[in-house]
Amino acid sequence: MNVSYEVTDHIAVISINRPEALNALNIDVLTELEQLLSKADNDNDVYVLIITGIGKAFVAGADIQQMQNLSPVEAKAFGEFGNLVFRKIETSAKPSIAAVNGYALGGGCELAMACDIRLAGTKAKFGQPEVGLGITPGFGGTQRMPRIVGLSKAKELIFTAETIGAEEALRIGLVSKVTADDELMNAAFELANKIAKNAQIAVRQSKAAINAGMQSDIVTGLAFEAQAFAACFSTEDQKDAMTAFVNKSKVSAFKNK
Ligand code: DAK
């Protein structure tokens, strides 16, 4: 197994576990990742996903050994499958956190960017080295990076193939927090727990509205938000939480119904 999976208290931790190759993404890793994402998506007990890497890398990119001899047709299939897997994370109803523990290069940086929120340990390193290998980023880097850090910085990082550290990633908004390396998973769990104790239908509707709005104009985006807001009024969670507020109390746990 190249990817491990563990669920604790509504939080699924997906760990890329191929440390001998710095967790490089080959077809086996991508296939297992895709299967585990489906498992998490289909498990009603899972509210939040954490994706991390075992060893000194988060993911050091797509597997260069495996890629080097691909024909254009195979490269297309590889790229399409990777895109499908990363899009599955992005479009999952459930929020995802990348806990970036080390190298997040090429496909690794792209994997982190497909997650909703990124946290980094101090040893994390980010970059898109592809143009130095004679290729373009192929798992969404050209599309997601400018949406996250803005055009100028994304173009600078992609055109120069330079690697940046955790503090610089924080400064440009590529990650939302930097922690001590041995605190990273605690920080990820703390964040996941904060999300998990809220009303999951509302969290999921919020994610869907944010993502839909980021691909459209403000008027269309606001229409998505209005729809998401309205959908919450058919839930028991909205009724329970607002009734509790009016009665000066709080719901102890949401039913997620
Ligand atoms: N692929 C395969 N093996 C890798 C690897 C990778 N990306 N990164 C590291 N490894 C392997 C090394 O070959 C080495 O294996 P052995 O020699 O021990 O057998 C082992 O992991 C340990 O690596 P190092 O000895 O190099 O470790 P260091 O600490 O010295 O250096 C490093 C760490 C991260 C600086 C270095 O390993 C490195 O530069 N790695 C490559 C990083 C990189 O360039 N990543 C981007 C890959 S390109 C597309 C689809 C996808 C993509 C593009 C297009 N389409 C189909 C359109 C994505 C492209 C990429 O991700």
Side-chain angles (χ1 to χ4, degrees), residues 141-204:
T142 62
Q143 302 307 303
R144 292 195 181 95
M145 188 177 271
R147 284 169 165 84
I148 296 169
V149 303
L151 272 184
S152 177
K153 203 67 202 175
K155 286 178 177 171
E156 182 188 326
L157 286 172
I158 291 171
F159 297 171
T160 62
E162 266 179 14
T163 296
I164 58 169
E167 286 302 331
E168 176 67 355
L170 179 66
R171 199 187 64 75
I172 66 173
L174 185 55
V175 303
S176 27
K177 189 175 186 178
V178 177
T179 71
D181 296 300
D182 58 1
E183 274 300 309
L184 178 63
M185 286 312 285
N186 283 345
F189 273 107
E190 195 183 319
L191 175 59
N193 276 318
K194 281 186 190 167
I195 297 170
K197 76 175 177 33
N198 287 317
Q200 292 312 298
I201 295 170
V203 169
R204 293 171 194 177

Side-chain angles (χ1 to χ4, degrees), residues 50-245:
I50 296 174
I51 299 182
T52 193
I54 302 290
K56 71 174 181 180
F58 175 70
V59 164
D63 189 311
I64 300 172
Q65 265 96 324
Q66 196 173 70
M67 270 195 305
Q68 67 172 334
N69 295 319
L70 294 183
S71 69
V73 171
E74 290 167 333
K76 185 162 180 277
F78 183 63
E80 281 172 356
F81 185 56
N83 273 322
L84 179 148
V85 177
F86 289 16
R87 187 84 179 120
K88 195 161 182 159
I89 299 170
E90 191 169 56
T91 60
S92 166
K94 303 175 186 186
S96 52
I97 299 167
V100 182
N101 52 302
Y103 292 110
L105 302 177
C109 188
E110 291 166 306
L111 174 62
M113 291 191 293
C115 294
D116 294 309
I117 302 169
R118 284 157 294 286
L119 306 181
T122 55
K123 288 207 184 91
K125 299 235 179 299
F126 298 83
Q128 296 291 154
E130 286 86 349
V131 298
L133 290 164
I135 57 175
T136 64
F139 290 150
T142 62
Q143 302 307 303
R144 292 195 181 95
M145 188 177 271
R147 284 169 165 84
I148 296 169
V149 303
L151 272 184
S152 177
K153 203 67 202 175
K155 286 178 177 171
E156 182 188 326
L157 286 172
I158 291 171
F159 297 171
T160 62
E162 266 179 14
T163 296
I164 58 169
E167 286 302 331
E168 176 67 355
L170 179 66
R171 199 187 64 75
I172 66 173
L174 185 55
V175 303
S176 27
K177 189 175 186 178
V178 177
T179 71
D181 296 300
D182 58 1
E183 274 300 309
L184 178 63
M185 286 312 285
N186 283 345
F189 273 107
E190 195 183 319
L191 175 59
N193 276 318
K194 281 186 190 167
I195 297 170
K197 76 175 177 33
N198 287 317
Q200 292 312 298
I201 295 170
V203 169
R204 293 171 194 177
Q205 288 288 343
S206 300
K207 172 172 172 171
I210 293 168
N211 283 358
M214 288 306 288
Q215 320 296 331
S216 54
D217 63 274
I218 182 81
V219 174
T220 312
L222 289 171
F224 280 122
E225 186 186 74
Q227 227 171 14
F229 180 71
C232 294
F233 283 77
S234 64
T235 67
E236 290 181 34
D237 290 341
Q238 174 270 328
K239 289 180 183 48
D240 292 349
M242 291 196 179
T243 305
F245 178 83

